[in-house]
């Protein structure tokens, strides 16, 4: 089966659902098996945050993949991946609210206002809400042209998420730096000249 | 609490006295090189043999941190920047024949064998809280000797206003040093009054055993009222100075890590709050105590300075 056919097949989406849920299942399993290390709350916070960022980047990779490979089916997964990114952001935020702030909303707000890296992370979460809310077919139809402009917010959200990560690093920037480089590459691809250059160097086979 | 213990498997170390299993490991290692190398009594087995110690010299009501947690969740960048790295990357770290260079404003500078520094003093067990600047904490039963009694033997003079400490710098043995994450070697320092304070400990062990490599073997500082990074590990240099010495985190981020770095819930790290902490083994955070709960003993050291300025 060709890649294009595989991407379009009936089992591609269920498989992707399973893949996207796997990190969560492993974390829940790890929590009960006491295998998340000495500081399980920290592990849960970091892992859900990183999966949110990874899924955001994978979402952003779908359009470039479509253009490079010439296979239109890549874009079928964009909404689903974006929604999973949102799902992991909500997990990330909820763990922080429950275990770091014991659901104390005043303390949470103080942190959001006073800590720039938290301000950035929280802004990313807020900006994702309208995107998740307008991800249905009906909303796409209703918003028409405006839907596309609205969903360009994802570029800003990605930048916020990467900065949120970079800003809390104590000394070792390697890991956060790798995310920053991938994110920058994917965002640069949105610029017309870069995209034109990329499509010229790889001749698509349709 | 949703925490299911799965620790029914009794590790060998719990049924074997430590000197014996250490010897066993040593034997296995020696055997790999060649059985001839194993001549009995040729060399001390470990740098520090802890035969006996004064149990419970200083105790706490707080529940001890699980030993497994305290030895597998460490900040020791010399062996990697992830919390699990030090344990993973320090297992073959050899601390035999450890020496410490002593210098500066004192009458007895020189290079001392570790044993010679520690042996004259009775080893005490002291249970201290450890508060990391990253807002987590532990409760650890240390074994060690008061730093003051070791320092006095070097006869510091009147110019000795500070004590500077240095960690081993050897990228061959400390793989984390192959990347310039910080400016090696790791440096720390105390005022002479802090160094001579009876709570300040030179740690050589924990949980009744020799110091694990990942926790700063063979000898480290333990200053319980300061953030954990002040308690420098694997010390090879001690220098008495007149000027305030440079300290690693302060060199890197002077706005975030001060020379004093006393645990202080009123003074936040610029990027995060220090009001609360997560005790390892607990899920929710608890209030952080001024001077990590040692205010009664140490607050007077800071009567004359503004702790907001000198954080």
């Amino acid at each position: 089966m060709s890649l294009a056919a595989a991407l379009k097949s009936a089992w591609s989406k269920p498989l992707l659902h399973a893949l996207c849920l796997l990190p969560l299942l492993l974390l829940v399993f790890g929590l009960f098996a006491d295998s998340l290390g000495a500081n399980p709350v920290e592990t849960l916070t970091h892992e859900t945050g990183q999966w949110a960022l990874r899924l955001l980047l994978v979402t952003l990779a779908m359009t470039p993949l479509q253009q490079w490979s010439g296979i239109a089916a890549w874009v079928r997964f964009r909404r689903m991946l974006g929604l999973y990114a949102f799902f992991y952001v909500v997990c990330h935020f909820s763990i922080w609210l429950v275990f770091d702030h014991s659901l104390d909303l005043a303390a949470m707000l103080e942190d959001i206002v006073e800590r720039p890296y938290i301000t950035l992370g929280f802004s990313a979460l807020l900006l994702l809400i309208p995107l998740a809310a307008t991800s249905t077919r009906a909303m796409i139809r209703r918003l028409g042209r405006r839907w596309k402009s609205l969903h360009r917010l994802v570029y800003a959200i990605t930048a916020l998420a990467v900065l949120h990560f970079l800003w809390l690093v104590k000394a070792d920037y390697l890991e956060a730096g790798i995310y920053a480089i991938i994110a920058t590459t994917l965002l640069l691809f949105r610029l017309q000249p870069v995209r034109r250059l990329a499509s010229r160097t790889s001749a698509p086979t349709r | 609490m949703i925490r299911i213990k799965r620790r029914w498997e009794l590790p060998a170390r719990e049924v074997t006295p430590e000197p014996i299993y250490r010897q066993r490991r040593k034997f296995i290692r020696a055997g790999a090189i060649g059985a001839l190398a194993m001549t009995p009594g040729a060399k001390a087995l470990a740098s520090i043999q802890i035969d006996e110690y004064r149990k419970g010299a200083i105790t706490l009501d707080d529940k001890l941190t699980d030993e497994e947690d305290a030895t597998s969740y460490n900040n020791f960048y010399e062996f990697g920047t992830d919390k699990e790295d030090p344990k993973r990357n320090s297992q073959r770290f050899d601390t035999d024949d450890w020496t410490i260079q002593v210098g500066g404003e004192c009458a007895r500078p020189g290079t001392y064998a570790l044993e010679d520094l520690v042996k004259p003093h009775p080893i005490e067990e002291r249970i201290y809280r450890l508060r990391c600047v990253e807002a987590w904490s532990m409760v650890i039963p240390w074994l060690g000797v008061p730093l003051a009694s070791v320092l006095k033997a070097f006869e510091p003079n009147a110019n000795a206003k500070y004590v500077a400490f240095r960690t081993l710098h050897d990228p061959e043995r400390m793989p984390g040093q192959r990347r310039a994450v910080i400016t090696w070697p790791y440096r720390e320092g105390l005022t002479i009054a802090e160094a001579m304070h009876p709570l300040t400990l030179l740690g050589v062990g924990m949980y009744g055993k020799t110091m694990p490599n990942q926790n700063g073997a063979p000898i480290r500082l333990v200053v319980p009222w300061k953030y954990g990074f002040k308690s420098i590990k694997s010390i090879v240099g001690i220098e008495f100075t007149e000027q305030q010495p440079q300290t690693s985190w302060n060199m890197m981020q002077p706005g975030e890590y001060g020379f004093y770095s006393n645990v202080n819930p009123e003074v936040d790290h610029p990027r995060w709050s220090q009001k609360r902490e997560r005790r390892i083994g607990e899920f929710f955070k608890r209030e952080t105590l001024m001077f990590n709960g040692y205010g009664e003993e140490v607050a007077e050291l800071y009567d004359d300075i503004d702790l907001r300025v000198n954080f």
Side-chain angles (χ1 to χ4, degrees), chain A residues 170, chain B residues 75-76 78 101 133 147 151 161-168 182-192 194-195 200 202 219-223 226-241 243-253 256-262 302 311:
Chain A
K170 268 176 74 198
Chain B
N75 275 330
F76 195 1
E78 279 75 356
Q101 223 174 24
V133 74
L147 177 66
L151 292 187
K161 303 277 196 300
Y162 297 90
V163 189
F165 301 87
R166 183 164 45 83
T167 296
L168 175 70
I182 65 174
T183 309
W184 312 110
Y186 191 77
R187 282 158 261 214
E188 259 310 333
L190 299 171
T191 65
I192 192 83
E194 292 171 336
T200 307
L202 261 182
I219 192 161
R220 62 170 290 170
L221 208 58
V222 183
V223 195
K226 292 177 179 285
Y227 291 120
F229 66 85
K230 294 292 292 182
S231 293
I232 185 171
K233 302 182 178 86
S234 304
I235 299 168
V236 293
I238 298 177
E239 197 186 351
F240 297 94
T241 64
Q243 305 298 321
Q244 184 176 301
Q246 283 199 304
T247 57
S248 289
W249 283 97
N250 179 254
M251 287 161 69
M252 193 162 33
Q253 292 280 1
E256 298 190 338
Y257 310 98
F259 174 78
Y260 289 93
S261 289
N262 293 314
Y302 310 101
F311 53 87

Coordinates of all heavy atoms in Angstrom, one line a residue, chain A residues 170, chain B residues 75-76 78 101 133 147 151 161-168 182-192 194-195 200 202 219-223 226-241 243-253 256-262 302 311:
Chain A
K170 N 16.8 26.4 34.1 CA 17.8 27.0 35.1 C 19.2 27.2 34.4 O 19.8 28.2 34.6 CB 17.9 26.0 36.3 CG 17.0 26.4 37.4 CD 17.0 25.4 38.5 CE 18.3 25.5 39.3 NZ 18.6 24.3 40.1
Chain B
N75 N 20.2 16.8 42.1 CA 20.8 17.8 41.3 C 22.3 17.8 41.5 O 22.8 18.2 42.6 CB 20.3 19.2 41.7 CG 19.0 19.6 41.0 OD1 18.7 19.2 39.9 ND2 18.1 20.4 41.7
F76 N 23.0 17.2 40.5 CA 24.4 17.1 40.6 C 24.9 17.2 39.2 O 25.1 16.1 38.6 CB 24.8 15.8 41.3 CG 26.2 15.7 41.8 CD1 27.1 16.7 41.6 CD2 26.7 14.5 42.4 CE1 28.4 16.6 42.1 CE2 28.0 14.4 42.9 CZ 28.9 15.4 42.7
E78 N 27.4 17.7 37.6 CA 28.7 17.0 37.2 C 28.4 15.7 36.6 O 29.2 15.1 35.8 CB 29.6 16.8 38.4 CG 30.4 18.0 38.8 CD 29.5 19.1 39.5 OE1 28.3 19.0 39.7 OE2 30.1 20.1 39.9
Q101 N 42.6 19.9 49.0 CA 43.6 20.9 49.1 C 43.1 22.1 50.0 O 42.0 22.6 49.7 CB 43.8 21.5 47.7 CG 45.2 21.7 47.3 CD 45.3 22.1 45.8 OE1 44.3 22.6 45.2 NE2 46.4 21.8 45.2
V133 N 16.2 25.0 45.8 CA 15.8 26.3 45.3 C 14.6 26.1 44.3 O 13.9 27.0 44.0 CB 17.0 27.1 44.7 CG1 17.4 26.5 43.4 CG2 16.7 28.6 44.6
L147 N 31.5 21.0 60.5 CA 32.5 21.6 59.6 C 33.5 22.4 60.5 O 34.7 22.4 60.3 CB 31.9 22.5 58.6 CG 32.9 23.3 57.7 CD1 33.7 22.4 56.8 CD2 32.1 24.4 56.9
L151 N 37.6 22.6 60.3 CA 38.2 23.9 59.9 C 39.2 24.4 60.9 O 40.3 24.9 60.6 CB 37.2 25.0 59.6 CG 36.3 24.7 58.3 CD1 35.4 26.0 58.1 CD2 37.1 24.4 57.1
K161 N 37.7 35.6 56.5 CA 36.4 36.1 56.7 C 35.4 35.2 56.0 O 34.2 35.2 56.3 CB 36.2 37.5 56.0 CG 37.2 38.6 56.6 CD 36.6 39.1 57.9 CE 37.3 40.4 58.3 NZ 38.8 40.3 58.5
Y162 N 35.9 34.4 55.0 CA 35.0 33.5 54.2 C 35.7 32.2 54.0 O 36.9 32.1 54.1 CB 34.7 34.1 52.8 CG 33.9 35.4 52.9 CD1 34.6 36.6 52.9 CD2 32.5 35.4 52.9 CE1 33.9 37.8 53.0 CE2 31.8 36.6 52.9 CZ 32.5 37.8 52.9 OH 31.8 38.9 53.0
V163 N 34.9 31.2 53.7 CA 35.5 29.9 53.3 C 35.0 29.5 51.9 O 33.7 29.6 51.7 CB 35.1 28.8 54.3 CG1 35.9 27.5 54.0 CG2 35.4 29.2 55.7
A164 N 35.9 29.3 51.0 CA 35.5 28.9 49.6 C 35.7 27.4 49.4 O 36.6 26.8 49.9 CB 36.3 29.7 48.6
F165 N 34.7 26.8 48.7 CA 34.8 25.4 48.5 C 34.7 25.1 47.0 O 34.2 25.9 46.2 CB 33.6 24.6 49.1 CG 33.5 24.8 50.6 CD1 32.8 25.9 51.1 CD2 34.1 23.9 51.5 CE1 32.7 26.1 52.5 CE2 34.0 24.1 52.8 CZ 33.3 25.2 53.4
R166 N 35.4 24.0 46.6 CA 35.5 23.7 45.2 C 35.2 22.2 45.0 O 35.7 21.4 45.8 CB 36.9 24.0 44.7 CG 37.2 23.9 43.2 CD 38.5 24.7 42.9 NE 39.5 24.5 43.8 CZ 40.4 23.4 43.8 NH1 40.3 22.5 43.0 NH2 41.4 23.4 44.8
T167 N 34.4 21.9 44.0 CA 34.1 20.5 43.6 C 35.2 20.0 42.7 O 35.8 20.8 41.9 CB 32.8 20.3 42.9 OG1 31.7 20.7 43.9 CG2 32.5 18.9 42.4
L168 N 35.4 18.7 42.7 CA 36.4 18.1 41.7 C 36.0 18.5 40.3 O 34.8 18.6 39.9 CB 36.3 16.5 41.8 CG 37.1 15.7 40.8 CD1 38.6 15.8 41.1 CD2 36.6 14.3 40.8
I182 N 27.6 24.9 33.2 CA 28.0 26.0 34.1 C 29.5 26.0 34.0 O 30.2 25.2 33.3 CB 27.6 25.7 35.6 CG1 28.3 24.5 36.2 CG2 26.1 25.5 35.7 CD1 28.0 24.3 37.7
T183 N 30.1 27.1 34.6 CA 31.6 27.2 34.5 C 32.2 26.3 35.5 O 32.1 26.6 36.7 CB 32.0 28.7 34.7 OG1 31.2 29.5 33.9 CG2 33.4 28.9 34.5
W184 N 32.8 25.2 35.1 CA 33.4 24.3 36.0 C 34.8 24.9 36.5 O 35.4 25.6 35.8 CB 33.7 22.9 35.3 CG 32.5 22.4 34.6 CD1 32.3 22.3 33.3 CD2 31.2 21.9 35.2 NE1 31.0 21.8 33.0 CE2 30.4 21.6 34.2 CE3 30.8 21.8 36.5 CZ2 29.1 21.1 34.4 CZ3 29.5 21.3 36.7 CH2 28.7 20.9 35.7
P185 N 35.2 24.5 37.7 CA 34.6 23.6 38.6 C 33.4 24.4 39.4 O 33.4 25.6 39.5 CB 35.7 23.3 39.6 CG 36.6 24.5 39.6 CD 36.5 25.0 38.2
Y186 N 32.6 23.6 40.0 CA 31.5 24.1 40.8 C 32.1 24.8 42.0 O 33.0 24.2 42.7 CB 30.5 23.0 41.2 CG 29.2 23.5 41.9 CD1 28.2 24.0 41.1 CD2 29.1 23.5 43.2 CE1 27.0 24.5 41.6 CE2 27.9 23.9 43.8 CZ 26.9 24.4 43.0 OH 25.7 24.9 43.6
R187 N 31.7 26.0 42.4 CA 32.2 26.7 43.5 C 31.1 27.1 44.5 O 30.0 27.5 44.1 CB 32.9 28.0 43.0 CG 34.2 27.8 42.4 CD 34.6 28.9 41.5 NE 34.3 28.5 40.1 CZ 35.0 28.9 39.1 NH1 36.0 29.8 39.2 NH2 34.7 28.5 37.9
E188 N 31.4 27.1 45.8 CA 30.5 27.6 46.8 C 31.3 28.3 47.8 O 32.5 28.2 47.9 CB 29.6 26.4 47.3 CG 28.2 26.4 46.7 CD 27.5 27.8 46.8 OE1 27.8 28.6 47.6 OE2 26.6 28.0 45.9
G189 N 30.5 29.0 48.7 CA 31.2 29.7 49.8 C 30.3 30.0 50.9 O 29.1 30.1 50.8
L190 N 30.9 30.2 52.1 CA 30.1 30.6 53.3 C 30.9 31.7 54.0 O 32.1 31.8 53.8 CB 30.0 29.4 54.3 CG 29.3 28.2 53.8 CD1 29.5 27.1 54.8 CD2 27.8 28.5 53.6
T191 N 30.3 32.5 54.8 CA 31.0 33.4 55.7 C 31.6 32.5 56.8 O 31.2 31.4 57.0 CB 30.1 34.4 56.4 OG1 29.2 33.7 57.3 CG2 29.3 35.2 55.4
I192 N 32.7 33.0 57.4 CA 33.3 32.2 58.4 C 32.4 31.9 59.6 O 32.4 30.7 60.1 CB 34.7 32.9 58.9 CG1 35.5 31.9 59.7 CG2 34.4 34.1 59.7 CD1 36.4 31.0 58.9
E194 N 29.1 31.4 59.3 CA 28.3 30.3 58.8 C 29.0 29.0 58.8 O 28.4 28.0 59.2 CB 27.8 30.6 57.4 CG 26.8 31.8 57.3 CD 26.5 32.2 55.9 OE1 27.3 31.9 54.9 OE2 25.5 32.9 55.6
A195 N 30.2 29.0 58.4 CA 31.0 27.8 58.3 C 31.3 27.2 59.7 O 31.3 26.0 59.9 CB 32.3 28.1 57.6
T200 N 26.3 23.5 60.7 CA 27.0 23.2 59.4 C 27.8 21.9 59.5 O 28.6 21.7 60.4 CB 27.9 24.4 59.0 OG1 27.1 25.6 59.1 CG2 28.4 24.2 57.6
L202 N 29.9 18.6 57.6 CA 30.6 18.0 56.5 C 30.1 16.6 56.4 O 30.3 15.7 57.3 CB 32.1 18.0 56.7 CG 33.0 19.0 56.1 CD1 34.4 18.8 56.4 CD2 32.8 19.1 54.6
I219 N 32.7 13.4 50.1 CA 32.5 14.4 51.2 C 31.8 15.6 50.6 O 32.2 16.1 49.6 CB 33.8 14.7 51.9 CG1 33.6 15.5 53.2 CG2 34.8 15.4 51.0 CD1 34.7 15.6 54.2
R220 N 30.8 16.1 51.3 CA 30.0 17.2 50.9 C 29.6 18.1 52.0 O 29.7 17.7 53.2 CB 28.8 16.8 50.2 CG 27.8 16.0 51.1 CD 26.5 15.7 50.5 NE 25.7 17.0 50.4 CZ 24.6 17.1 49.7 NH1 24.1 16.0 49.1 NH2 23.9 18.2 49.7
L221 N 29.2 19.3 51.7 CA 28.7 20.2 52.7 C 27.2 20.0 52.9 O 26.5 19.5 52.0 CB 28.9 21.6 52.2 CG 29.1 22.8 53.1 CD1 30.3 22.5 54.0 CD2 29.4 24.1 52.3
V222 N 26.7 20.2 54.2 CA 25.3 20.2 54.4 C 25.0 21.4 55.3 O 25.4 21.5 56.4 CB 24.8 18.9 55.2 CG1 23.3 18.9 55.4 CG2 25.3 17.6 54.4
V223 N 24.3 22.4 54.7 CA 24.0 23.6 55.4 C 22.4 23.7 55.3 O 21.9 24.2 54.4 CB 24.6 24.9 54.7 CG1 24.5 26.1 55.6 CG2 26.0 24.6 54.3
K226 N 20.1 26.8 54.2 CA 20.3 27.4 52.9 C 19.7 26.5 51.8 O 19.6 25.3 52.0 CB 21.8 27.7 52.7 CG 22.3 28.7 53.6 CD 23.8 28.9 53.4 CE 24.4 30.0 54.3 NZ 24.0 31.3 53.8
Y227 N 19.5 27.1 50.6 CA 19.0 26.3 49.5 C 20.1 25.2 49.2 O 21.3 25.5 49.3 CB 18.7 27.2 48.3 CG 17.5 28.1 48.5 CD1 17.6 29.5 48.4 CD2 16.3 27.5 48.8 CE1 16.5 30.3 48.7 CE2 15.2 28.3 49.0 CZ 15.3 29.7 49.0 OH 14.2 30.4 49.2
G228 N 19.6 24.1 48.7 CA 20.4 22.9 48.5 C 21.7 23.2 47.7 O 22.7 22.6 48.0
F229 N 21.7 24.1 46.7 CA 22.9 24.2 45.9 C 24.1 24.8 46.7 O 25.2 24.7 46.2 CB 22.6 25.1 44.7 CG 22.3 26.5 44.9 CD1 23.3 27.5 45.1 CD2 21.0 27.0 45.0 CE1 23.0 28.8 45.3 CE2 20.7 28.3 45.3 CZ 21.7 29.2 45.4
K230 N 23.8 25.4 47.9 CA 24.9 25.8 48.7 C 25.7 24.6 49.3 O 26.9 24.8 49.6 CB 24.4 26.7 49.9 CG 23.8 28.0 49.5 CD 24.8 29.0 48.9 CE 25.8 29.6 49.8 NZ 26.7 30.5 49.2
S231 N 25.0 23.5 49.4 CA 25.7 22.3 50.0 C 26.5 21.6 49.0 O 26.1 20.5 48.5 CB 24.6 21.4 50.7 OG 24.0 22.1 51.8
I232 N 27.6 22.1 48.7 CA 28.5 21.6 47.6 C 28.9 20.2 47.8 O 29.2 19.8 48.9 CB 29.7 22.6 47.4 CG1 30.6 22.3 46.2 CG2 30.5 22.6 48.7 CD1 31.6 23.3 45.9
K233 N 29.0 19.5 46.6 CA 29.3 18.0 46.7 C 30.7 17.7 46.3 O 31.4 18.5 45.6 CB 28.3 17.3 45.8 CG 26.9 17.5 46.2 CD 25.9 16.7 45.3 CE 24.5 16.9 45.6 NZ 23.9 18.0 45.0
S234 N 31.2 16.5 46.6 CA 32.5 16.0 46.2 C 33.6 17.1 46.2 O 34.2 17.5 45.2 CB 32.4 15.5 44.7 OG 31.4 14.5 44.7
I235 N 33.8 17.6 47.5 CA 34.8 18.7 47.7 C 36.2 18.3 47.6 O 36.6 17.3 48.2 CB 34.5 19.3 49.1 CG1 33.1 19.8 49.3 CG2 35.5 20.4 49.4 CD1 32.7 20.1 50.7
V236 N 37.0 19.1 46.8 CA 38.4 18.8 46.7 C 39.2 20.1 47.1 O 40.5 20.0 47.2 CB 38.9 18.4 45.3 CG1 38.3 17.1 44.9 CG2 38.5 19.5 44.3
G237 N 38.6 21.2 47.4 CA 39.3 22.4 47.7 C 38.6 23.2 48.8 O 37.4 23.4 48.7
I238 N 39.3 23.6 49.8 CA 38.8 24.5 50.8 C 39.8 25.7 51.0 O 41.0 25.4 51.1 CB 38.7 23.8 52.2 CG1 37.7 22.6 52.1 CG2 38.3 24.8 53.3 CD1 37.6 21.8 53.4
E239 N 39.3 26.9 50.8 CA 40.2 28.0 50.9 C 39.6 29.1 51.8 O 38.5 29.5 51.7 CB 40.5 28.6 49.6 CG 41.7 29.5 49.5 CD 41.9 30.2 48.2 OE1 41.2 29.8 47.2 OE2 42.8 31.1 48.1
F240 N 40.4 29.6 52.8 CA 40.0 30.7 53.6 C 40.3 32.0 52.9 O 41.5 32.2 52.5 CB 40.7 30.6 55.0 CG 40.4 29.4 55.8 CD1 41.3 28.2 55.7 CD2 39.3 29.3 56.6 CE1 41.0 27.1 56.4 CE2 39.0 28.2 57.3 CZ 39.9 27.1 57.2
T241 N 39.4 32.9 52.8 CA 39.6 34.1 52.0 C 39.2 35.3 52.8 O 38.3 35.2 53.7 CB 38.8 34.1 50.7 OG1 37.4 34.1 51.0 CG2 39.2 32.9 49.8
Q243 N 38.1 38.1 51.0 CA 37.0 38.6 50.1 C 36.0 37.5 49.9 O 36.3 36.3 50.0 CB 37.6 39.0 48.7 CG 38.7 40.0 48.8 CD 38.3 41.3 49.4 OE1 37.2 41.8 49.2 NE2 39.2 41.9 50.2
Q244 N 34.7 38.0 49.7 CA 33.7 37.1 49.5 C 34.0 36.3 48.2 O 34.2 36.8 47.1 CB 32.4 37.8 49.3 CG 31.1 37.0 49.1 CD 29.9 37.8 49.0 OE1 29.5 38.5 49.9 NE2 29.2 37.7 47.9
P245 N 34.0 34.9 48.3 CA 34.4 34.1 47.1 C 33.3 34.1 46.1 O 32.1 34.3 46.4 CB 34.6 32.7 47.7 CG 33.8 32.7 48.9 CD 33.7 34.1 49.5
Q246 N 33.7 33.7 44.8 CA 32.7 33.6 43.8 C 32.0 32.2 44.0 O 32.6 31.2 44.4 CB 33.4 33.5 42.4 CG 33.8 34.9 42.0 CD 34.1 34.9 40.5 OE1 34.9 34.1 40.0 NE2 33.4 35.7 39.7
T247 N 30.7 32.2 43.7 CA 29.9 31.0 43.8 C 29.2 30.7 42.5 O 28.8 31.7 41.8 CB 28.9 31.1 45.0 OG1 28.0 32.2 44.7 CG2 29.6 31.3 46.3
S248 N 29.1 29.5 42.1 CA 28.7 29.1 40.7 C 27.4 29.7 40.3 O 27.3 30.3 39.2 CB 28.7 27.6 40.6 OG 30.0 27.1 40.6
W249 N 26.3 29.5 41.0 CA 25.0 29.9 40.5 C 24.9 31.4 40.5 O 24.3 32.0 39.7 CB 23.9 29.3 41.4 CG 23.6 27.9 41.0 CD1 24.1 26.8 41.6 CD2 22.9 27.4 39.9 NE1 23.7 25.7 40.9 CE2 22.9 26.0 39.9 CE3 22.2 28.1 38.8 CZ2 22.3 25.3 38.9 CZ3 21.5 27.3 37.9 CH2 21.6 25.9 37.9
N250 N 25.6 32.1 41.5 CA 25.7 33.5 41.5 C 26.4 34.1 40.3 O 26.0 35.1 39.7 CB 26.3 34.0 42.8 CG 26.4 35.5 42.9 OD1 27.5 36.0 42.8 ND2 25.3 36.1 43.1
M251 N 27.5 33.4 39.9 CA 28.3 33.8 38.7 C 27.4 33.7 37.5 O 27.4 34.6 36.6 CB 29.5 32.9 38.5 CG 30.6 33.1 39.5 SD 31.7 31.6 39.6 CE 32.5 31.7 38.0
M252 N 26.5 32.7 37.4 CA 25.7 32.5 36.2 C 24.5 33.4 36.2 O 24.2 34.0 35.1 CB 25.2 31.0 36.2 CG 24.7 30.6 34.9 SD 24.6 28.8 34.8 CE 24.3 28.3 36.5
Q253 N 23.8 33.6 37.3 CA 22.6 34.4 37.3 C 22.6 35.2 38.6 O 21.9 34.9 39.6 CB 21.3 33.5 37.3 CG 21.1 32.8 36.0 CD 20.4 33.6 35.0 OE1 20.2 34.8 35.2 NE2 20.2 33.1 33.8
E256 N 19.4 36.1 40.4 CA 18.5 35.0 40.8 C 19.0 34.3 42.0 O 18.3 33.7 42.8 CB 18.2 34.0 39.7 CG 17.5 34.7 38.5 CD 17.0 33.7 37.5 OE1 17.5 32.5 37.5 OE2 16.1 34.0 36.7
Y257 N 20.4 34.2 42.1 CA 21.0 33.4 43.2 C 22.0 34.2 43.9 O 23.1 34.5 43.3 CB 21.6 32.1 42.6 CG 20.7 31.3 41.7 CD1 20.7 31.5 40.3 CD2 19.7 30.5 42.2 CE1 19.9 30.8 39.5 CE2 18.9 29.8 41.4 CZ 18.9 29.9 40.0 OH 18.1 29.3 39.2
G258 N 21.7 34.6 45.1 CA 22.6 35.4 45.9 C 23.7 34.6 46.6 O 23.7 33.4 46.6
F259 N 24.7 35.3 47.2 CA 25.7 34.6 47.9 C 25.2 33.8 49.1 O 25.5 32.7 49.4 CB 26.8 35.6 48.4 CG 27.9 34.9 49.2 CD1 28.9 34.2 48.7 CD2 27.8 35.1 50.6 CE1 29.8 33.5 49.5 CE2 28.8 34.5 51.4 CZ 29.8 33.7 50.9
Y260 N 24.2 34.5 49.8 CA 23.7 33.9 51.0 C 22.8 32.7 50.7 O 22.9 31.7 51.3 CB 23.0 35.0 51.9 CG 24.0 35.9 52.5 CD1 24.4 37.1 51.9 CD2 24.7 35.6 53.7 CE1 25.3 38.0 52.4 CE2 25.6 36.4 54.2 CZ 25.9 37.6 53.6 OH 26.9 38.4 54.1
S261 N 21.8 33.0 49.9 CA 20.8 32.0 49.5 C 20.2 31.2 50.7 O 20.1 30.0 50.7 CB 21.4 31.0 48.5 OG 21.5 31.6 47.2
N262 N 19.8 32.0 51.7 CA 19.1 31.4 52.8 C 17.7 31.1 52.4 O 17.1 31.8 51.6 CB 19.1 32.4 54.0 CG 20.4 32.7 54.6 OD1 21.2 31.7 54.8 ND2 20.7 33.9 54.8
Y302 N 22.3 36.9 60.9 CA 21.9 37.9 59.9 C 21.2 39.1 60.5 O 20.5 39.8 59.7 CB 21.0 37.2 58.8 CG 21.6 35.9 58.3 CD1 21.2 34.7 58.8 CD2 22.7 35.9 57.4 CE1 21.8 33.5 58.4 CE2 23.3 34.8 57.0 CZ 22.9 33.5 57.5 OH 23.5 32.4 57.1
F311 N 20.0 38.4 49.4 CA 19.2 37.1 49.3 C 20.1 35.9 49.0 O 21.3 36.1 48.8 CB 18.1 37.3 48.3 CG 18.6 37.7 46.9 CD1 19.1 36.7 46.0 CD2 18.6 39.0 46.5 CE1 19.5 37.1 44.8 CE2 19.1 39.4 45.3 CZ 19.6 38.5 44.4

